[in-house]
Amino acid sequence: MGCSSSCDGTAPAAKVETSLFATKKPHFLTDEIFRKYDKNDNGELEIKELAALMSDAFPGENFSESDLKAICNNFDLDQNGSIGTNELRAFLRHYDPASQLIKTKTALIIIDVQNDFITGSLANPYNAEEIVPIINDIRDKFDMVVISYDWHPHEHCSFSESISAGNHPIVEEVKQFENFSPVTLKGDSDRPEHTQVLYPRHAVEDTEGAKCHKDLVLKPTDKSIYKGTKPNIDSYSAFFDNIKANDTGLTAMLEQEGITDVYCCGLVTDICVKSTALHAAEGGFKVFVIEDASKPLSQDNVEPTKQVLQEAGVRVLNASEAVAEATSKKDVTIKEFGNQIKKSKSAKSIHVQMEPTLSSHFRAAGKAAAFAATLSKTD
């Protein structure tokens, strides 16, 4: 009684199609999903195509046309009206086929807590070593810890010594350049011409200055990211170099572990931490910056920086709040998740506008304040 096929086993069982999501981790399915749902083969999922995907991914949900438009709008980070490859990956890394919920998994990214930025050639003016015990106290509350290192060759293009010696082609006449002056690096086969601010030699690979502070807790389970490793381009963000010519591998590392929520801390709040947070938001992660586990380069830039981050959907909180948020994580429905990340869709445009003012440890105060003022005028 109630059997869908003959109870004595003589009739063939009904054929059940295996779900695409049962074959491998969802974020590795991007190509397969486009092959199945991208009916016009244009590399984008429009509303109708997205509707088919959502129906299969969340069979218990009923999506109205307005629901689908809202979902598309929330995940459409470049706002072109459809879902592209990177946007689909941002969604898939959160999706759990078994529960049909959006899963939460956290990562703490500790950025550039290195000797040269604390007591060395680019020593922070605000007692940066004060953040070390705070980071140590909270680090084990997260599912994953990533240590980001500035890691430069000896003749890096960001060093005033290297540029003054003529070791990198520049538009300007070669001379003795002062620290923190801008120059224009000529384009090469790896990246286009762009502006570079010069600093004293710092964080040279395998030197004492590039090591983390002696009291910072490091564990064998920590992951490591090295940025600024190429001699011809600098990198403020732990995700990409300054003009996105090269990827550090951090996105793939986080995806491999199923990370959904990224918490950023370290040095410095108004430059490298901010740039990392904006790239994380641009990539579809839910992002937080831990204010008291970071130090700025310019105190004048702290409030404007927080406004820029807020505009990009990044939440700024203290260490206690971060721990409470990370440890109270819960799985959410697709609609709840869409509401959580909808502000991050502006992260890319904000970051593009901010990049001309960025320097990995630039001491010119007021740049972020000027940009934050323009944001206020457009609200």
Side-chain angles (χ1 to χ4, degrees):
M1 301 292 292
C3 294
S4 58
S5 60
S6 174
C7 294
D8 62 8
T10 56
K15 184 178 180 181
V16 178
E17 181 179 356
T18 301
S19 169
L20 179 63
F21 295 104
T23 60
K24 60 176 80 170
K25 287 186 177 181
H27 59 271
F28 292 126
L29 285 170
T30 307
D31 292 341
E32 290 92 330
I33 285 174
F34 273 103
R35 281 197 291 270
K36 181 173 181 179
Y37 298 100
D38 182 19
K39 299 301 184 184
N40 61 4
D41 200 28
N42 69 345
E44 300 275 337
L45 296 181
E46 280 82 25
I47 290 290
K48 288 184 178 179
E49 296 166 337
L50 181 64
L53 171 60
M54 291 294 105
S55 178
D56 287 351
F58 302 96
E61 290 272 8
N62 293 316
F63 296 102
S64 66
E65 184 176 351
S66 62
D67 288 336
L68 290 167
K69 287 181 178 178
I71 291 169
C72 183
N73 185 56
N74 288 340
F75 288 103
D76 180 17
L77 299 178
D78 63 6
Q79 292 297 281
N80 71 342
S82 57
I83 304 299
T85 301
N86 288 337
E87 294 158 336
L88 180 62
R89 288 176 65 193
F91 159 67
L92 291 175
R93 73 169 67 101
H94 300 78
Y95 173 63
D96 175 48
S99 63
Q100 297 165 19
L101 292 172
I102 302 299
K103 305 289 287 185
T104 299
K105 193 173 182 183
T106 61
L108 178 67
I109 304 178
I110 302 171
I111 301 160
D112 299 1
V113 184
Q114 294 164 268
N115 290 328
D116 271 345
F117 305 135
I118 299 175
T119 56
S121 59
L122 275 171
N124 186 273
Y126 303 111
N127 299 316
E129 62 187 3
E130 293 176 350
I131 70 175
V132 173
I134 297 173
I135 294 172
N136 289 344
D137 286 345
I138 66 175
R139 52 156 290 141
D140 290 340
K141 303 298 183 182
F142 301 88
D143 296 312
M144 178 183 185
V145 174
V146 180
I147 312 295
S148 168
Y149 295 85
D150 232 20
W151 199 256
H152 299 312
H154 189 263
E155 295 297 342
H156 192 254
C157 65
S158 69
F159 298 163
S160 54
E161 298 91 337
S162 298
I163 297 298
S164 297
N167 291 331
H168 294 277
I170 59 173
V171 172
E172 297 83 0
E173 181 182 352
V174 175
K175 62 178 184 178
Q176 287 300 120
F177 289 96
E178 295 183 359
N179 293 326
F180 310 112
S181 15
V183 297
T184 307
L185 296 172
K186 289 184 177 180
D188 60 27
S189 60
D190 190 40
R191 81 304 181 263
E193 181 178 296
H194 67 285
T195 300
Q196 173 68 53
V197 176
L198 301 180
Y199 317 101
R201 185 170 277 119
H202 63 276
V204 174
E205 56 191 359
D206 296 316
T207 63
E208 191 65 27
K211 292 180 180 178
C212 289
H213 187 277
K214 63 182 177 62
D215 294 331
L216 184 70
V217 172
L218 303 174
K219 296 188 177 183
T221 54
D222 296 343
K223 306 294 185 180
S224 298
I225 285 292
Y226 297 89
K227 59 190 182 71
T229 59
K230 289 192 170 186
N232 64 335
I233 191 165
D234 205 358
S235 180
Y236 312 139
S237 165
F239 285 92
F240 300 97
D241 64 36
N242 288 355
I243 54 175
K244 279 192 169 181
N246 300 279
D247 181 340
T248 67
L250 180 55
T251 300
M253 183 182 290
L254 297 174
E255 286 184 341
Q256 181 68 38
E257 298 297 323
I259 298 299
T260 60
D261 294 11
V262 169
Y263 293 74
C264 302
C265 67
L267 301 172
V268 287
T269 308
D270 43 340
I271 307 296
C272 295
V273 173
K274 173 180 65 180
S275 189
T276 299
L278 290 174
H279 272 152
E282 183 182 328
F285 294 97
K286 186 179 177 184
V287 187
F288 306 83
V289 166
I290 309 175
E291 185 173 15
D292 54 344
S294 307
K295 288 284 186 180
L297 192 65
S298 170
Q299 193 64 42
D300 291 342
N301 280 344
V302 171
E303 289 305 317
T305 294
K306 289 165 70 173
Q307 183 178 345
V308 169
L309 291 171
Q310 183 180 4
E311 290 285 335
V314 176
R315 182 178 167 193
V316 179
L317 32 60
N318 62 37
S320 297
E321 292 169 333
V323 169
E325 180 76 23
T327 55
S328 65
K329 61 186 182 180
K330 65 173 185 176
D331 302 336
V332 297
T333 67
I334 178 63
K335 296 177 184 178
E336 290 171 330
F337 180 74
N339 288 330
Q340 290 176 356
I341 70 158
K342 62 183 178 182
K343 284 191 175 181
S344 68
K345 65 189 180 185
S346 63
K348 183 174 182 178
S349 61
I350 287 174
H351 203 188
V352 167
Q353 293 176 69
M354 281 301 299
E355 281 172 348
T357 75
L358 292 175
S359 64
S360 67
H361 305 285
F362 192 29
R363 298 183 184 277
K367 297 269 187 161
F371 178 71
T374 68
L375 289 177
S376 300
K377 291 177 184 178
T378 58
D379 285 345

